[in-house]
Amino acid sequence: MYGNYTGRSGAGAVALGVTLLLAGCSSSAPSSGGDKSSAGSAPYWVNPDGNAARQVAAYTKAGNGRDAGLIKKIARQPVGEWIGPDNPEAEAKGFTEAARKAGREALLVLYNIPHRDCGQFSKGGAADGDAYRAWLEGVAKGIGDRRTTVILEPDALLHLIDGCTPQEFHEERYDLLKGALERLKQLPHTRVYMDVGNAGWRTPDALFRPLRQAGIADADGFAVNVSNFQTTAASTDFGKRLSVKVGNKPFVIDTSRNGNGPYDEGDPEENWCNPPGRALGEPPTTDTGEDLVDAYLWIKRPGESDGACKGGPKAGEWWPEYALGLARNTR
């Protein structure tokens, strides 16, 4: 249901005069070694050629300073770079090299598990297990020894629990998730957080056994609220209750669009999809004030559609009107 991949290679991410518009970001990243005392020693990389930055440049060129100023609220922040299916090594290398050259850390999202999203708005993924392993190997080679935080496979675990993914694929998916964790943790400076859904989807009691089976012991932690709208307070409580059941693992929270909390009107089955009236949440930072919360991150890229619902374009496409709404509604 997440739909963030837009197909732009990190190798082509260049300033194009936009860098001056984005100067001043001070968001911080976790250290690669796992020592909380050194967290925040390096900020996450801000892509100067991201969709929001391009929109700022377009509005500025058109003399629309008001809307350019609103979109800067997004463009100045580091957001997740979702690695596409076709050239994973080049994309991962491009993003991580650009981050290293800027003295920052890359934030990557891997979203290519076979039978992804159960045929919904973000359906797709690798053709089979072997194709996924080859794709993942490309990602790992592209990252190499560069400092990187990885969010692993949004909704892959949850769809094993909620009945969306057919039973015949469960064993393979657990194997792929565990194998992905093992491979990525062979990299010297990569942190990996496995997605576990959000506070409004399933309870910690339903999650902890599948999470263990998927290999959470090998991960740096788990990710909460990816592409969703649950409040930071609710997400923190949810994460803490789950952490107790999986060895006190830390977690990160996606705060990209949770400023006004979840949408509770209309069809409950689609209140996650382009809900109106939402706002940007806390900016990315590792200064969360919570020992178990490693970071607030913008994993979902604000302004990109959840899918073809409520007037939105297809999943992952930039939607400037929605981006403006998020920015306007932000306190």
Side-chain angles (χ1 to χ4, degrees), residues 67-147:
D67 287 348
L70 287 169
I71 298 299
K72 282 181 186 179
K73 293 181 181 181
I74 300 172
R76 285 176 169 164
Q77 298 298 339
V79 299
E81 300 293 349
W82 296 56
I83 301 299
D86 297 328
N87 203 350
E89 183 173 352
E91 286 195 17
K93 183 177 181 180
F95 289 131
T96 56
E97 280 194 340
R100 182 167 68 178
K101 287 178 181 177
R104 299 190 174 194
E105 179 170 341
L107 174 62
L108 305 182
V109 186
L110 306 191
Y111 188 48
N112 195 41
I113 204 82
H115 319 291
R116 189 182 70 193
D117 204 32
C118 309
Q120 300 182 77
F121 290 131
S122 296
K123 64 183 178 181
D128 54 32
D130 288 341
Y132 183 80
R133 293 182 187 95
W135 176 84
L136 183 79
E137 184 62 25
V139 173
K141 288 180 178 178
I143 293 173
D145 63 356
R146 291 175 284 277
R147 291 166 58 88

Side-chain angles (χ1 to χ4, degrees), residues 3-6 51 300-301 303-307 312-320:
N4 276 278
Y5 175 61
T6 56
N51 284 327
K300 168 73 176 184
R301 295 195 291 247
E304 294 186 6
S305 177
D306 292 313
K314 70 180 182 178
E317 285 196 4
W318 173 251
W319 187 7

Side-chain angles (χ1 to χ4, degrees), residues 162-231:
D162 66 8
C164 180
T165 300
Q167 184 69 38
E168 64 192 280
F169 302 128
H170 284 206
E171 183 178 355
E172 177 187 63
R173 180 164 296 183
Y174 278 119
D175 180 68
L176 292 176
L177 290 172
K178 191 168 185 176
L181 281 169
E182 291 172 350
R183 178 64 182 97
L184 292 167
K185 288 308 298 175
Q186 291 173 9
L187 304 175
H189 302 300
T190 294
R191 295 171 63 89
V192 185
Y193 295 86
M194 179 179 287
D195 177 68
V196 296
N198 62 75
W201 198 347
R202 286 293 186 275
T203 67
D205 284 342
L207 283 166
F208 75 93
R209 290 186 182 89
L211 194 54
R212 288 175 182 171
Q213 186 174 347
I216 188 63
D218 293 322
D220 292 280
F222 54 89
V224 172
N225 202 47
V226 174
S227 294
N228 209 269
F229 304 85
Q230 300 294 321
T231 66

